[in-house]
Amino acid sequence: MKTILAFLAVLAAFVAAPFALGPYYTTLIIPILAYAIALTGLNLLFGYGGLLSFGHAMFLAIGAYASAVMGAKLGVRAFEAQLIVAMLASGTVAALIGLLCLRYTTIFFSMLTLAFGMIFHSFLFKFYDLTGGESGISVPRPSLFGASFASMSKTAFLVGPFYWYALGLFSVMFLLMALIVSSPFGLALKAGRDNERKTSFLGVPVFKVRYVAFILSGIYCAVGGAVLAVSIGAADPELSYWTQSGNMIFIIILGGLGQLFGPIVGAVSFTLLQDTLMANTEYWRFALGAILALIIIFAPRGILGLITRALEWRRR
Amino acid sequence: MTEMLLRALNITKRYGAFTALAGVSFDISKGEVVAVVGPNGAGKTTLVNTLSGLFMPDEGGVMFEGRPVAGLGASALALRGLARSFQLVTIYPSFTVAEMISVGAFARAGQTFRLLRPSATCRREQAQVREVAAAFGLEHRLETTCSALSQGEKKLVDIASALTLRPRLMLLDEPTSGISSADKDRIMETLLAAAQRLGVESLVLVEHDMELIARYATRVIGLKAGSLVADMPPDAFFRDPAVIETLVGKVPHNALG
Ligand SMILES: Nc1ncnc2c1ncn2[C@@H]1O[C@H](COP(=O)(O)OP(=O)(O)O)[C@@H](O)[C@H]1O
Ligand SMILES: [Mg+2]
């Protein structure tokens, strides 16, 4: 119930945003939604499953390239078809890689995912014909539910139909995740995070539970990646670079690890923070790093944790 | 003849060159409450870990319900009816008591991979959770976060979570360690009553407290330096000063009542 109310508040803010902020800022919100979708998936694995992946930018890129290859090379403009291919491709890759990575936990898991991410990054450079190499592939405007919006300008398309589409997509993916984390599966995943041995003696096949979470997180990242590619108009190899994975982890921690609203709060805060810092200082990377350190030390539950604490304090 | 649940046949377990268990054999039948005693380092935890399939013995084998335990995997074994707890209390700190107990209830019902239904709305499993909690006197604690429980309650929740699986055989590694002696008796009584109520057929418990053993065990197994040095009913055990001397040191004067 509380979750639904909080979600409606978030939704209301995103519905109001384009009217309040105008087209320029609205184009900046679409990447926020894209990251929120992707990170909602990564949060399942990292926050609820306790498995820190340094390779999930790969799945973001798989989504982006699926959209780009479908639209630019195969002439399939229907975004729904692109999304399905993105999810299938990403789910398949996750199913293969997960089989190996999940034999390990802790730092060994992290390093293996990092390694696969790096392999994938170099793959994007190598297979020029498919991926466009260093320059990537530009993403043609997709059609949404069969409508091509050909008469619209690029910005009008993005801040109009595509914005609402992305918001709808985020809502659906978010609500699905709300169910997943409160389901018996979500419980088993968290239990395995807290104590693997104990959990397996409670009849839970911990590996399989993590495997499903890994695949789901890959699928979420691919959907986010496809939305991201349309909003920036291109899929390029930097999307899969390991620093991108680092950023994704940063945003989750900033928002609040293992909390349903962590990714959306993180994505909004990160964008605002980065914009403000970049506009005011050339040392913005330093400032971002310092903020991450402060959050980890003083607010381990992230900005969301601070908000919850403030709300509880006010209620008293 | 009573039905046999578990058979340990000549199990030997080594850590490198060190032999922690040396050719230990025994059977456990339905209806037994077996106390495993022995000084620190005798191999009691190693025995529990081997019986529960966590360790592969270097020699010999363990059968549960006539089938080998080896290679089955903890979760499959737990679902087949052999559950266990650990020497150190294991709770999930952020879980409520109800959530912690429900993990096993969902596993037993084959619902672990149910993804799109909030666990709180699964009526059948939640009813089981309440039933198990009630058996442990924890019904008023269902919504309490595990980390906020007292040490004794943590132990009970830990064991309750495993008994939700309704195992036939439950292995308990020092269920009363770390509990004040004033509370030990109550904890043990609660746990035995709950086990009986939930249909557990046999219990194996590693226990140091001679009074508890005298009161509750139907059989005592003594381990020393990895060898089985005693396997007898409690009254015979307590009548044998030499055995007690090797296993416990001095005899507590009030153990015999
Ligand atoms: N993982 C291990 N590696 C090496 N030695 C171990 C290991 N676990 C236990 N031991 C040794 O095996 C012996 C038996 O240990 P354990 O089964 O824990 O005894 P108990 O539970 O009776 O106190 C001890 O001497 C202990 O030091
Ligand atoms: Mg021990």
Side-chain angles (χ1 to χ4, degrees):
Chain A
M1 198 61 222
K2 247 171 152 179
T3 306
I4 292 173
L5 287 178
F7 172 71
L8 288 176
V10 169
L11 191 61
F14 277 95
V15 168
F19 303 105
L21 299 175
Y24 171 71
Y25 285 103
T26 305
T27 56
L28 298 185
I29 303 177
I30 300 172
I32 293 183
L33 289 170
Y35 276 104
I37 294 170
L39 299 180
T40 296
L42 183 56
N43 193 32
L44 180 72
L45 186 70
F46 176 29
Y48 294 89
L51 294 160
L52 173 55
S53 164
F54 273 113
H56 263 55
M58 167 174 41
F59 300 114
L60 200 68
I62 289 176
Y65 276 90
S67 168
V69 170
M70 292 278 286
K73 309 240 160 175
L74 305 176
V76 180
R77 293 293 178 88
F79 195 54
E80 295 75 30
Q82 297 181 3
L83 282 176
I84 289 170
V85 169
M87 292 195 274
L88 286 176
S90 185
T92 307
V93 172
L96 292 173
I97 292 177
L99 229 34
L100 196 71
C101 295
L102 289 167
R103 305 259 157 233
Y104 303 86
T105 53
T106 64
I107 191 71
F108 304 102
F109 171 81
S110 306
M111 289 300 108
L112 262 183
T113 49
L114 176 69
F116 277 110
M118 287 162 81
I119 292 169
F120 185 78
H121 181 68
S122 63
F123 164 88
L124 290 179
F125 276 92
K126 269 273 163 23
F127 292 79
Y128 187 90
D129 287 344
L130 183 65
T131 65
E134 193 175 351
S135 47
I137 313 172
S138 66
V139 177
R141 179 184 305 178
S143 67
L144 308 175
F145 297 124
S148 64
F149 305 102
S151 61
M152 283 188 172
S153 74
K154 183 168 189 263
T155 312
F157 168 74
L158 285 180
V159 306
F162 194 69
Y163 179 87
W164 300 111
Y165 196 96
L167 184 57
L169 211 49
F170 166 74
S171 303
V172 170
M173 305 281 292
F174 177 91
L175 291 172
L176 282 176
M177 188 56 74
L179 287 175
I180 292 172
V181 300
S182 65
S183 70
F185 173 82
L187 215 54
L189 183 65
K190 284 193 282 178
R193 168 197 69 192
D194 288 355
N195 192 321
E196 180 172 348
R197 229 176 221 194
K198 166 77 177 170
T199 305
S200 52
F201 275 104
L202 293 183
V204 174
V206 175
F207 177 88
K208 280 189 200 154
V209 168
R210 288 176 173 165
Y211 188 53
V212 171
F214 192 85
I215 294 171
L216 285 173
S217 70
I219 290 174
Y220 267 74
C221 284
V223 171
V227 173
L228 194 61
V230 173
S231 82
I232 53 186
D236 80 89
E238 287 319 292
L239 274 177
S240 78
Y241 200 48
W242 67 273
T243 54
Q244 175 79 356
S245 294
N247 254 353
M248 291 162 77
I249 291 159
F250 180 120
I251 299 173
I252 290 183
I253 293 174
L254 182 73
L257 182 62
Q259 298 163 81
L260 192 54
F261 287 91
I264 183 74
V265 170
V268 171
S269 326
F270 181 79
T271 308
L272 291 176
L273 202 61
Q274 196 180 27
D275 266 19
T276 322
L277 291 173
M278 280 171 89
N280 290 301
T281 166
E282 57 181 301
Y283 301 114
W284 62 274
R285 281 176 198 283
F286 169 82
L288 269 185
I291 287 170
L292 178 62
L294 289 175
I295 289 269
I296 289 174
I297 296 167
F298 295 108
R301 288 174 57 79
I303 291 178
L304 200 54
L306 293 176
I307 295 175
T308 343
R309 220 189 301 167
L311 287 178
E312 276 164 14
W313 186 77
R314 266 194 51 184
R315 211 172 294 149
R316 269 190 246 145
Chain B
M1 211 190 91
T2 48
E3 189 185 350
M4 184 177 63
L5 283 182
L6 186 92
R7 162 163 284 179
L9 200 63
N10 200 26
I11 47 178
T12 297
K13 172 72 195 169
R14 300 188 192 92
Y15 300 113
F18 179 79
T19 304
L21 286 177
V24 173
S25 301
F26 56 82
D27 292 345
I28 290 173
S29 303
K30 201 170 153 172
E32 291 193 288
V33 178
V34 182
V36 177
V37 299
N40 271 331
K44 304 182 297 295
T45 296
T46 304
L47 178 66
V48 171
N49 285 345
T50 311
L51 295 182
S52 61
L54 194 59
F55 293 165
M56 281 276 275
D58 295 294
E59 286 160 36
V62 180
M63 315 267 272
F64 177 64
E65 292 177 329
R67 281 181 290 177
V69 155
L72 199 58
S75 59
L77 192 60
L79 292 174
R80 241 178 62 186
L82 198 165
R84 66 164 295 177
S85 70
F86 295 85
Q87 184 167 349
L88 292 176
V89 65
T90 43
I91 46 136
Y92 308 129
S94 66
F95 280 42
T96 64
V97 170
E99 284 172 336
M100 173 118 194
I101 296 178
S102 70
V103 172
F106 287 120
R108 180 166 173 263
Q111 302 282 312
T112 297
F113 289 93
R114 184 133 206 200
L115 270 84
L116 293 179
R117 175 157 183 193
S119 49
T121 66
C122 300
R123 292 244 175 100
R124 194 146 30 93
E125 288 78 16
Q126 295 304 339
Q128 287 169 15
V129 168
R130 284 192 298 275
E131 189 185 344
V132 171
F136 280 86
L138 289 164
E139 60 272 53
H140 59 294
R141 286 299 210 188
L142 281 171
E143 295 312 314
T144 309
T145 307
C146 287
S147 60
L149 297 171
S150 71
Q151 183 66 16
E153 286 171 327
K154 280 182 188 167
K155 284 262 180 188
L156 286 180
V157 171
D158 185 0
I159 294 163
S161 68
L163 285 191
T164 319
L165 292 168
R166 310 286 177 121
R168 297 187 71 189
L169 174 64
M170 174 85 190
L171 312 177
L172 297 149
D173 196 354
E174 305 206 10
T176 65
S177 71
I179 304 224
S180 69
S181 36
D183 288 343
K184 274 189 180 180
D185 205 49
R186 189 179 53 83
I187 298 273
M188 185 61 85
E189 196 152 332
T190 309
L191 120 71
L192 289 173
Q196 191 166 34
R197 194 161 143 190
L198 297 172
V200 178
E201 294 168 21
S202 301
L203 287 163
V204 173
L205 34 104
V206 176
E207 184 54 69
H208 288 293
D209 191 308
M210 290 300 136
E211 286 187 55
L212 293 181
I213 292 173
R215 199 165 310 154
Y216 300 110
T218 63
R219 179 176 162 194
V220 180
I221 284 182
L223 276 184
K224 177 141 195 184
S227 295
L228 193 93
V229 295
D231 185 352
M232 53 184 75
D235 44 355
F237 176 78
F238 285 111
R239 259 187 272 118
D240 193 335
V243 168
I244 296 188
E245 181 76 38
T246 36
L247 289 172
V248 212
K250 64 176 174 48
V251 191
H253 64 278
N254 52 357
L256 301 166

